[in-house]
Amino acid sequence: MGSPAASSLSMTGGRSFRSFMTGGLGSPHPEKSNSPSSTGRRTSSGRYISLSREEESEVAGEVSSEFMYTVHIPATPDHQQMSETPMVRPMMGPSIALKAEQQFVSSTIFTGGFNSITRGHVMDKLMETEATHPQLACARGLLCSVDGCDGKAMRDERGEDMVPCVCNFKICRDCYVDALNGTGKCPGCKEAYNMPDSNNNNSSPRDAHFRALPAAGMDPKMERRLSLLKSNKPGLLMSHSSEFDHSRWLYETKGTYGYGNAVWPKDDGYAGGKNTGLGAPPNFGDKARRPLSRKSNISAGIISPYRLLVLIRMVVLGFFLAWRVRHPNSDAMWLWGMSVICELWFAFSWILDQLPKLCPINRFTDLQVLKEKFETPSPLNPSGRSDLPGIDVFVSTADPEKEPPLTTSNTILSILAADYPLEKLSCYLSDDGGALLTFEALAETASFARVWVPFCRKHKIEPRNPETYFLLKGDPTKNKLLPDFVKDRRRVKREYDEFKVRINGLPDAIRRRSDAYNAHEEIRAKRKQIETGADQSEPLNVPKATWMADGTHWPGTWTNSGKEHGRGDHAGIIQVMLAPPTSEPLMGSADDDNLIDTSDVDIRLPMLVYVSREKRPGYDHNKKAGAMNALVRTSAIMSNGPFILNLDCDHYFFNSLALREAMCFFLDRGGDRLCYVQFPQRFEGIDPNDRYANHNTVFFDVNMRALDGLQGPMYVGTGCVFRRVALYGFDPPRHVDHPGCWGTLCCGGKKKNKAQKREVEVETLNGGTSEEEEDVEAVMLPKRYGDSMTFSASIPVAQFQGRPLADQGVQNGRPAGALAVPREPLDASTVAEAINVISCFYEDKTEWGGRVGWIYGSVTEDVVTGFRMHNRGWRSVYCVTKRDAFRGTAPINLTDRLHQVLRWATGSVEIFFSRNNALLASSRMKCLQRIAYLNVGIYPFTSIFLLVYCFLPALSLFTGEFIVQSLNVAFLIYLLIITVTLCMLAILEVKWSGITLEEWWRNEQFWVIGGTSAHLAAVFQGLLKVMAGVDISFTLTSKSGAEEEGDEFADLYLVKWSALMIPPITIMIINIIAIAVGTSRQIYSEIPQWSKLLGGVFFSFWVLAHLYPFAKGLMGKRGRTPTIIFVWSGLLAVIISLLWVYISPPANNTANPGAFQFP
């Protein structure tokens, strides 16, 4: 399981090391330090104030030293502080205490794992350069004025010095705590602390009104349920201070606050006719109930003929197949049999693909209504502070060599600049490789964000990816009104160029820094060896470490792997790069130190966190799905946004309003039944002809839009906003059974019992169950989610905050204004608990990966995760925005594209042979939705029949036979009707989906290319895994970080040999040879049979036309075809010719021995 009985937090740094120990029951106990002693002064709290790093190195002979002492985690209702805090909290102003704690957390990198001390290393700097933004970790600031202390003075949210005494004596957080625990006097003026903010009431009237709310009696069921959530740090439900917690009162009583609830205003106004400036009473008419989204059906003039053509084609296919079975080719029964079997499968596959397309719809959102409902002053929210729910954005990366840090940085910058209340937005980067390069690149990104984000807000920049924005063609001043735009753009562009140079230079800078520190360590070790008189012939045991910018070891993966510092073997790491912003806007200034004038711009930034989960040898970390689940738990403890957006590192915000678009669906009537909102994937950097169908528009604009009219689109891995509690394995609040004939037979009592069990869980969240059921649920929490009670405490909070507003016709709504409250700052114990839940042992014997979170066991974990949600009765929505929501990159190289398709197809084969097969779905899944998921698992098997069918024309030409006895009228009429209806269906699909005929044809071509190569290999790999247990390992798809000089599409012409190319090459060569053989035979034949030749040649050209992009890709750039292609082509041609001559040798012609004959 997750954490040991007693969690611990050890704080370390270049100046001092600190240790926080919390036992389950007992008092703190000291730890022994293995580090050498050091010259320094020890304070009353146990903290050492040491000499500077240079002086300490001279005296102690060490780069850094370690000191450990004991301090308690801040008090909770279950765990009261025993030494430091009773003296500190009453004297320490709440504003100073919280700000100092958050400043301390943001300058600390936390590491740890299972059965190990959670260490917090206080860093002087994250990168070589320094930044001044107040939220940035280790931001530049003045030093503490206490003698012998080199800590940084406390700062407020503007980055200005925060002084707890009227004498303005600058002091760091630790010295301030020491002074309060000691004499209680200021080290500067030697007088008792007189805090400037202790007598000033700076709180707003709105906050005072909150504190004046009466604490209503708690509902007994709610009290029992909250009692299940007690922990050492349930900070998401309980406040640290003794003041009235209005947010908890709202949650526990399901009440509202503000005007209109406690006292309803009279008819003549809110204050009895007095002029209070509150305006007229709210209008609760139709305008207030306008929907946030609406659904529009496809025009009947398009969809009705479309459905009719589908029906006609199905009927014609039935008659055609019956005719084929009744009219065999007696001259070539084997050829006829293979063709009929293939045609039967193709008809079945087409029906599976076509049926879910019968109900396409379009959806639209109204962002103005969203703003009026959630961000406009109202009686229940008089200040107009945003009442939108929080969103946590997940970005995943694993290898900085294949996923360039600059690409990831641009994605992060676009997220930080998104148009969403920034105090409600948090961004988490999962570095599954634990690379220092990614860490320092993220630090540089956070530093550059202080310039880029205000620039985007000031001038309403789109898109908010700097790389894309500065490469846009056209006039950049279009629709820009501010006179300083050109000057600001020029300055930001130059700053961005310098930022790119710093990112590109990070690998070399890290290497040079590590070499220098390692050389210094070797010199020290050698000197120590000489001083101790040891044998100098013995090799020095000095590890080749990777060093951070502050001169300490990187706790993650080293360039030269070492013990507990290798890929797949390192501690968990969390670093808050940007601290949570304040609740009130923070305007910039026009100082000369600022790059641009931000006097009218909010300069706050969303919270940004670096996360690298713990990895140890011998454990299956479940690739991307495991990383996503680690982020789910981490974010639940640190920010707990009720909604989660996940993005690949190469997908960025192209539309800054994308998050608001998603909220229109979640917060609308019936939105509580939505598990996720999926956005289409759009790609850039693809060749204009889209040779390999990289845009995949047929899937994203036809199939997905059609699924939106059923139960919802599939989850496709990125660009998806989830409801957090849906990821936790809960059932929707309301669901409808769709048993049908198959569901009645297969989804009977056993699944029904499971459904009833999960209904109890949903009722538990809503407070509608009995005491016995809640007691059972309390016992099941650790088995389901792990032993972190803080995480368990966050679940009902996320469920409550994700509800739509209470209104007429809305079930399970929340009161208006319930989320317009500031959140608590981070503290060290919160981050320590987050370290606990990313331990590689945490998921043992839990339901993570089975029912909770991203599902394990498949390389296409995205499809399986979405399937499980739909199977529980949830619905999803497909959000197609006028301006693309997100854009990313796709592999334009043929080999990379085939390997990408291979990974998807292999996952589909795994799904088919697993319990996630749609045939085993519950009765809550609609019939057509079930067919769509069934097609996902079956489509790779079409490759077997497609491969055979592509060889049939060649075999027909070689043998002189055809799949039918003769090309009679019936066969040609059937063929004509099937072809014409297919073309007409394609035209109508183009009409209602918005794609082009060229895109439809490119999709058909790549279906044949992928079906004869990657899909075929996927079938064999999937069968090996299922039958023989041979696991499949895939490498990451490389993201292009830079183009070759002067050629944007250089990767398109790069030919990288792969075994996947052999089947398509063989098909092309055989069909070309067969056309030549068949034509020559008929020319030299005494009785030519041109009808059979015509049929064989027509189908051979059909095959070659579909494989044309593949052949063009093999030619390389300007005809520079790799030698391997010629070798394989010649070899296959010789083998085929010899094989056919051996099978059917030419007959002896005694009458004319010199005549030219063919077999």
Side-chain angles (χ1 to χ4, degrees):
M1 293 291 292
S3 61
S7 62
S8 61
L9 171 61
S10 169
M11 310 305 299
T12 69
R15 303 182 307 276
S16 61
F17 285 69
R18 312 181 193 102
S19 172
F20 295 84
M21 299 293 298
T22 58
L25 297 173
S27 59
H29 53 281
E31 289 188 85
K32 294 182 180 180
S33 174
N34 296 325
S35 61
S37 60
S38 172
T39 59
R41 178 172 60 85
R42 178 166 180 163
T43 63
S44 60
S45 68
R47 185 178 64 90
Y48 282 87
I49 299 178
S50 63
L51 302 175
S52 64
R53 182 176 290 108
E54 291 79 6
E55 293 172 335
E56 185 179 334
S57 178
E58 292 288 338
V59 175
E62 298 289 338
V63 175
S64 62
S65 57
E66 182 172 354
F67 311 94
M68 291 194 174
Y69 72 102
T70 301
V71 176
H72 278 283
I73 288 178
T76 67
D78 303 329
H79 183 82
Q80 299 296 324
Q81 295 167 328
M82 299 180 182
S83 59
E84 172 195 51
T85 306
M87 292 185 290
V88 175
R89 288 290 179 188
M91 299 179 63
M92 199 175 192
S95 175
I96 294 179
L98 295 177
K99 291 175 183 177
E101 180 72 14
Q102 183 161 288
Q103 176 188 349
F104 167 71
V105 170
S106 65
S107 299
T108 305
I109 180 172
F110 293 82
T111 62
F114 179 72
N115 277 340
S116 63
I117 297 175
T118 299
R119 298 182 179 274
H121 173 68
V122 183
M123 302 182 66
D124 290 332
K125 58 181 181 178
L126 296 178
M127 50 192 175
E128 300 295 343
T129 57
E130 292 188 352
T132 58
H133 194 279
Q135 288 179 247
L136 187 63
C138 304
R140 185 174 57 200
L142 297 177
L143 297 179
C144 177
S145 299
V146 175
D147 293 338
C149 179
D150 57 353
K152 292 183 180 179
M154 295 186 291
R155 295 174 288 113
D156 62 9
E157 63 272 9
R158 297 192 63 90
E160 298 175 355
D161 294 329
M162 185 170 56
V163 289
C165 184
V166 293
C167 69
N168 292 333
F169 183 81
K170 296 177 178 57
I171 189 171
C172 67
R173 167 190 177 274
D174 296 314
C175 291
Y176 183 43
V177 172
D178 295 337
L180 291 178
N181 283 341
T183 61
K185 297 181 178 180
C186 172
C189 62
K190 309 302 181 183
E191 299 291 336
Y193 267 111
N194 183 13
M195 292 169 284
D197 59 349
S198 59
N199 299 322
N200 299 331
N201 186 11
N202 296 325
S203 59
S204 64
R206 177 173 174 276
D207 295 333
H209 177 71
F210 290 156
R211 288 192 290 272
L213 286 174
M218 188 184 299
D219 179 73
K221 293 181 178 179
M222 179 66 70
E223 186 175 7
R224 288 196 305 273
R225 188 164 73 254
L226 289 178
S227 68
L228 306 178
L229 307 177
K230 293 181 179 180
S231 65
N232 288 337
K233 179 63 179 68
L236 295 166
L237 284 179
M238 307 164 191
S239 175
H240 291 310
S241 63
S242 59
E243 298 178 2
F244 173 66
D245 189 345
H246 48 272
S247 61
R248 180 180 177 185
W249 181 87
L250 288 171
Y251 177 69
E252 294 171 354
T253 62
K254 301 182 180 178
T256 58
Y257 57 83
Y259 298 99
N261 185 36
V263 179
W264 187 259
K266 299 183 181 297
D267 295 337
D268 54 356
Y270 287 116
K274 297 181 181 179
N275 184 15
T276 60
L278 293 176
N283 178 19
F284 293 105
D286 293 337
K287 183 178 179 180
R289 297 196 181 108
R290 284 188 298 169
L292 296 172
S293 63
R294 61 187 178 89
K295 181 173 65 174
S296 173
N297 295 322
I298 304 297
S299 171
I302 297 176
I303 196 63
S304 296
Y306 182 80
R307 293 170 178 168
L308 180 61
L309 281 173
V310 171
L311 179 61
I312 292 174
R313 195 166 193 266
M314 290 177 63
V315 173
V316 173
L317 278 175
F319 281 111
F320 171 70
L321 293 174
W323 182 88
R324 290 279 283 120
V325 172
R326 292 198 305 267
H327 295 79
N329 185 357
S330 56
D331 295 334
M333 291 295 292
W334 59 274
L335 192 62
W336 168 82
M338 287 193 297
S339 64
V340 169
I341 292 174
C342 293
E343 288 162 4
L344 286 170
W345 181 265
F346 292 151
F348 172 69
S349 178
W350 177 81
I351 292 173
L352 289 182
D353 180 67
Q354 195 64 50
L355 287 180
K357 297 181 184 179
L358 297 179
C359 305
I361 61 170
N362 293 317
R363 294 186 186 270
F364 304 94
T365 59
D366 194 334
L367 297 181
Q368 184 60 34
V369 175
L370 183 75
K371 185 176 182 63
E372 292 175 0
K373 283 190 175 183
F374 295 91
E375 296 181 308
T376 303
S378 65
L380 298 178
N381 186 14
S383 68
R385 184 181 290 171
S386 176
D387 195 26
L388 289 171
I391 300 179
D392 296 334
V393 184
F394 296 169
V395 180
S396 59
T397 183
D399 189 345
E401 294 182 0
K402 294 185 177 180
E403 299 168 329
L406 184 59
T407 301
T408 305
S409 297
N410 281 301
T411 297
I412 297 294
L413 289 169
S414 71
I415 295 170
L416 299 179
D419 188 353
Y420 198 79
L422 50 91
E423 68 274 12
K424 306 293 184 71
L425 186 62
S426 302
C427 180
Y428 296 82
L429 175 66
S430 171
D431 178 18
D432 227 25
L436 180 59
L437 175 58
T438 304
F439 178 85
E440 295 198 0
L442 187 63
E444 291 283 358
T445 303
S447 177
F448 177 69
R450 80 191 192 281
V451 176
W452 174 251
V453 175
F455 171 69
C456 292
R457 292 174 184 159
K458 179 179 180 181
H459 298 290
K460 297 180 175 57
I461 299 300
E462 293 287 353
R464 299 192 174 182
N465 176 333
E467 183 70 21
T468 305
Y469 171 72
F470 289 121
L471 290 178
L472 287 177
K473 298 179 181 179
D475 184 8
T477 63
K478 185 178 180 180
N479 299 326
K480 297 297 182 288
L481 305 177
L482 297 180
D484 57 350
F485 168 72
V486 176
K487 179 184 66 176
D488 289 351
R489 186 180 187 276
R490 184 171 57 249
R491 291 181 175 180
V492 174
K493 176 65 167 63
R494 179 174 180 176
E495 186 72 13
Y496 178 64
D497 290 338
E498 294 177 356
F499 164 74
K500 289 200 297 184
V501 171
R502 292 196 298 271
I503 294 291
N504 294 333
L506 278 178
D508 187 58
I510 294 173
R511 180 187 56 78
R512 286 187 285 103
R513 179 203 310 151
S514 299
D515 290 344
Y517 277 113
N518 287 330
H520 188 47
E521 290 294 299
E522 290 178 359
I523 294 174
R524 278 190 188 168
K526 191 67 175 177
R527 183 185 305 166
K528 183 177 180 180
Q529 188 181 58
I530 295 174
E531 291 175 352
T532 57
D535 186 3
Q536 299 185 22
S537 62
E538 294 182 359
L540 300 175
N541 188 18
V542 179
K544 297 291 183 180
T546 300
W547 295 75
M548 293 190 289
D550 70 334
T552 55
H553 285 178
W554 167 242
T557 302
W558 290 352
T559 304
N560 299 315
S561 298
K563 184 180 179 181
E564 297 186 352
H565 292 284
R567 191 173 183 85
D569 183 18
H570 60 79
I573 308 170
I574 294 180
Q575 169 68 59
V576 180
M577 293 290 183
L578 291 172
T582 58
S583 58
E584 298 297 335
L586 182 63
M587 298 302 173
S589 63
D591 297 340
D592 294 336
D593 295 338
N594 294 334
L595 196 66
I596 61 175
D597 181 5
T598 58
S599 54
D600 296 327
V601 182
D602 189 353
I603 63 171
R604 294 176 300 162
L605 300 173
M607 183 172 74
L608 177 62
V609 182
Y610 172 91
V611 180
S612 181
R613 57 180 173 146
E614 182 191 20
K615 287 190 172 183
R616 297 302 177 195
Y619 287 84
D620 185 3
H621 301 101
N622 296 297
K623 303 181 179 66
K624 180 181 176 181
M628 289 293 100
N629 286 339
L631 286 184
V632 170
R633 297 189 295 271
T634 302
S635 62
I637 290 174
M638 299 183 68
S639 55
N640 199 32
F643 298 101
I644 294 172
L645 166 66
N646 87 289
L647 291 174
D648 289 342
C649 65
D650 60 330
H651 276 69
Y652 66 90
F653 275 78
F654 192 74
N655 182 354
S656 61
L657 297 172
L659 294 177
R660 294 178 179 270
E661 299 268 2
M663 290 301 105
C664 286
F665 296 107
F666 282 117
L667 303 180
D668 206 359
R669 291 182 182 88
D672 56 341
R673 297 175 58 195
L674 297 181
C675 56
Y676 61 82
V677 173
Q678 176 67 61
F679 291 88
Q681 291 186 21
R682 306 300 187 198
F683 304 102
E684 57 189 14
I686 295 176
D687 59 296
N689 295 323
D690 193 12
R691 181 184 294 175
Y692 306 123
N694 293 97
H695 284 300
N696 215 357
T697 52
V698 172
F699 175 76
F700 288 114
D701 290 321
V702 178
N703 298 69
M704 296 286 277
R705 196 189 298 264
L707 288 175
D708 198 16
L710 303 177
Q711 200 170 338
M714 303 174 186
Y715 167 44
V716 293
T718 184
C720 185
V721 181
F722 285 96
R723 182 182 299 276
R724 183 180 287 270
V725 293
L727 283 170
Y728 291 163
F730 290 102
D731 289 344
R734 300 174 305 282
H735 61 82
V736 179
D737 288 338
H738 312 277
C741 296
W742 183 264
T744 304
L745 295 174
C746 299
C747 305
K750 186 175 180 180
K751 290 183 178 286
K752 188 174 181 180
N753 292 336
K754 291 183 178 180
Q756 292 175 349
K757 179 181 177 182
R758 290 297 175 174
E759 287 175 5
V760 172
E761 297 175 1
V762 179
E763 292 177 359
T764 300
L765 282 181
N766 296 329
T769 57
S770 62
E771 292 186 35
E772 294 79 5
E773 291 170 340
E774 289 177 358
D775 293 339
V776 172
E777 188 66 19
V779 176
M780 292 299 296
L781 280 176
K783 296 181 179 180
R784 185 167 299 144
Y785 303 111
D787 64 357
S788 173
M789 296 308 296
T790 307
F791 175 82
S792 300
S794 71
I795 297 176
V797 179
Q799 191 270 348
F800 171 77
Q801 293 180 351
R803 297 178 183 177
L805 289 182
D807 198 356
Q808 182 178 353
V810 176
Q811 301 184 33
N812 299 323
R814 63 172 172 85
L819 305 185
V821 293
R823 65 181 178 187
E824 294 182 356
L826 285 176
D827 56 26
S829 58
T830 300
V831 186
E833 182 64 19
I835 284 287
N836 168 44
V837 299
I838 62 174
S839 164
C840 62
F841 298 85
Y842 183 83
E843 296 181 354
D844 288 356
K845 299 180 182 179
T846 67
E847 293 188 6
W848 285 100
R851 181 184 178 92
V852 180
W854 269 257
I855 306 302
Y856 301 155
S858 174
V859 295
T860 51
E861 72 286 335
D862 46 3
V863 177
V864 176
T865 302
F867 169 79
R868 290 288 185 90
M869 294 182 182
H870 285 143
N871 197 39
R872 291 194 291 269
W874 288 97
R875 298 180 61 89
S876 60
V877 162
Y878 197 53
C879 182
V880 182
T881 55
K882 185 175 181 181
R883 178 185 178 88
D884 294 343
F886 307 100
R887 282 192 179 179
T889 59
I892 61 175
N893 178 264
L894 176 59
T895 305
D896 293 338
R897 175 74 166 130
L898 290 178
H899 280 92
Q900 182 187 57
V901 174
L902 172 64
R903 183 174 69 251
W904 296 342
T906 305
S908 296
V909 176
E910 293 174 350
I911 291 173
F912 182 79
F913 288 108
S914 70
R915 60 177 180 174
N916 299 309
N917 192 313
L919 295 174
L920 306 178
S922 71
S923 60
R924 296 184 183 181
M925 184 176 290
K926 290 186 176 181
C927 179
L928 293 181
Q929 188 82 16
R930 187 194 304 262
I931 292 175
Y933 275 112
L934 180 62
N935 187 44
V936 169
I938 283 181
Y939 83 88
F941 296 96
T942 305
S943 61
I944 300 174
F945 305 93
L946 181 62
L947 182 69
V948 174
Y949 211 74
C950 287
F951 280 114
L952 288 182
L955 295 176
S956 175
L957 291 171
F958 278 133
T959 60
E961 301 295 340
F962 195 51
I963 58 176
V964 294
Q965 189 77 33
S966 62
L967 293 178
N968 55 25
V969 177
F971 176 78
L972 294 177
I973 290 177
Y974 280 127
L975 195 62
L976 179 62
I977 295 176
I978 291 172
T979 305
V980 170
T981 52
L982 179 63
C983 294
M984 295 178 67
L985 285 173
I987 293 173
L988 291 177
E989 283 184 0
V990 167
K991 284 287 186 181
W992 62 256
S993 66
I995 65 174
T996 64
L997 279 174
E998 183 182 6
E999 290 172 334
W1000 180 87
W1001 172 240
R1002 285 282 183 254
N1003 181 78
E1004 292 295 310
Q1005 287 180 314
F1006 197 78
W1007 174 74
V1008 176
I1009 295 172
T1012 56
S1013 57
H1015 295 176
L1016 188 66
V1019 171
F1020 289 107
Q1021 288 191 354
L1023 291 174
L1024 282 175
K1025 182 176 182 180
V1026 172
M1027 300 174 64
V1030 179
D1031 199 6
I1032 306 161
S1033 178
F1034 289 98
T1035 57
L1036 287 171
T1037 303
S1038 299
K1039 276 71 175 178
S1040 178
E1043 301 88 14
E1044 285 187 10
E1045 184 177 354
D1047 194 348
E1048 182 181 359
F1049 307 113
D1051 284 346
L1052 180 67
Y1053 310 106
L1054 182 63
V1055 180
K1056 296 183 287 186
W1057 176 254
S1058 172
L1060 296 176
M1061 298 179 178
I1062 295 177
I1065 291 177
T1066 306
I1067 291 172
M1068 287 191 301
I1069 293 176
I1070 289 180
N1071 277 275
I1072 292 173
I1073 295 175
I1075 292 174
V1077 170
T1079 304
S1080 301
R1081 175 186 287 110
Q1082 299 305 325
I1083 291 175
Y1084 289 97
S1085 176
E1086 297 179 357
I1087 307 176
Q1089 297 178 345
W1090 297 105
S1091 61
K1092 293 184 179 180
L1093 174 66
L1094 183 63
V1097 170
F1098 174 79
F1099 283 108
S1100 288
F1101 273 117
W1102 177 87
V1103 172
L1104 294 175
H1106 281 78
L1107 294 176
Y1108 172 74
F1110 178 83
K1112 193 173 181 180
L1114 294 180
M1115 300 304 294
K1117 188 176 182 179
R1118 300 184 185 92
R1120 293 183 295 185
T1121 307
T1123 307
I1124 187 66
I1125 304 300
F1126 291 109
V1127 172
W1128 271 101
S1129 300
L1131 184 61
L1132 287 172
V1134 172
I1135 292 175
I1136 294 167
S1137 300
L1138 294 177
L1139 183 62
W1140 187 255
V1141 170
Y1142 176 79
I1143 295 174
S1144 180
N1148 293 325
N1149 191 349
T1150 57
N1152 190 7
F1156 185 84
Q1157 295 186 7
F1158 278 88

